[in-house]
């Protein structure tokens, strides 16, 4: 008698009808001003209790302060004259924020300058703002590909 091989077990995929149902619920919720089907469902439950629904009421905003996080920054290079050189290929949001916080906390005490591989690169896909534009707006000096000779002599 030949031995029958067992079929390998495969993971069950979500059925198309379930995905379709979730998408339909999300679309319906958005049409009614909610962000999700669950929010729409909870609003209906509140309404069923005879209570007026106030969803994300602008008058009920809760103010809070995000706790401070102690961080450190290690400069790429420090010239003998004290100028800090930060080299950047990609200049992501976290890095931009970090340098704004440092500037806010240390002011003119720290002279941080950037050397970009391309200062004309945009901050993110679809952005009209380049790395150079960001530096101009925020008061940082910058250069492309190499440190300008005059920075060594300041």
């Amino acid at each position: 008698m030949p031995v029958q091989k067992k079929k390998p077990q495969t993971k069950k995929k979500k059925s198309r009808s379930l995905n379709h149902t979730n998408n339909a619920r999300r679309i319906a919720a958005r049409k009614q001003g909610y962000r999700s089907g669950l929010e729409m469902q909870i609003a209906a439950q509140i309404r069923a209790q005879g209570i007026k629904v106030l969803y994300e009421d602008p008058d009920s905003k809760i103010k809070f302060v995000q706790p401070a996080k102690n961080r450190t920054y290690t400069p790429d290079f420090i010239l003998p004259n004290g100028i800090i050189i930060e080299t950047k290929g990609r200049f992501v949001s976290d890095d931009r924020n970090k340098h704004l916080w440092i500037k806010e906390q240390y002011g003119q005490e720290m002279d941080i300058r950037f050397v970009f591989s391309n200062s004309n690169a945009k901050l993110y896909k679809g952005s009209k703002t380049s790395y150079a534009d960001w530096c101009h707006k925020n008061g940082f000096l910058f250069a492309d590909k190499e440190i300008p000779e005059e920075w060594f002599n300041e």
Side-chain angles (χ1 to χ4, degrees):
M1 186 176 237
V3 176
Q4 290 185 343
K5 291 183 179 178
K6 286 186 175 180
K7 290 183 180 179
Q9 297 247 342
T10 57
K11 291 183 180 178
K12 291 184 179 178
K13 293 182 180 177
K14 279 188 178 180
S15 71
R16 287 190 178 269
S17 63
L18 182 59
N19 283 336
H20 179 71
T21 302
N22 287 341
N23 284 339
R25 189 177 300 138
R26 190 176 306 115
I27 290 167
R30 290 204 172 144
K31 284 182 180 177
Q32 292 185 35
Y34 300 102
R35 295 180 200 213
S36 72
L38 180 60
E39 289 175 341
M40 183 175 70
Q41 179 183 324
I42 296 301
Q45 181 185 9
I46 293 169
R47 225 178 273 111
Q49 294 293 318
I51 302 170
K52 181 181 176 185
V53 175
L54 292 175
Y55 173 70
E56 293 189 350
D57 180 13
D59 294 332
S60 65
K61 290 194 184 264
I62 299 168
K63 294 181 181 180
F64 68 99
V65 175
Q66 183 176 356
K69 293 181 182 180
N70 292 326
R71 304 267 188 193
T72 60
Y73 162 60
T74 305
D76 289 340
F77 305 95
I78 301 177
L79 300 179
N81 57 12
I83 293 173
I84 296 170
I85 303 296
E86 186 66 26
T87 58
K88 292 289 177 196
R90 292 183 56 228
F91 195 29
V92 296
S93 177
D94 286 345
D95 286 331
R96 296 191 306 267
N97 287 332
K98 171 179 61 181
H99 287 288
L100 290 174
W101 292 327
I102 292 168
K103 188 175 191 97
E104 180 182 299
Q105 292 169 37
Y106 290 92
Q108 301 301 322
E109 190 178 322
M110 282 192 193
D111 186 358
I112 300 175
R113 301 179 187 190
F114 295 95
V115 177
F116 296 110
S117 57
N118 177 10
S119 64
N120 291 319
K122 301 303 180 191
L123 295 179
Y124 53 87
K125 188 177 181 178
S127 174
K128 293 180 180 179
T129 307
S130 68
Y131 298 172
D133 295 333
W134 184 91
C135 285
H136 287 299
K137 177 184 175 197
N138 293 290
F140 288 96
L141 295 178
F142 67 94
D144 278 307
K145 298 192 188 318
E146 60 183 38
I147 299 171
E149 195 63 35
E150 59 268 18
W151 291 5
F152 291 105
N153 302 319
E154 287 184 32

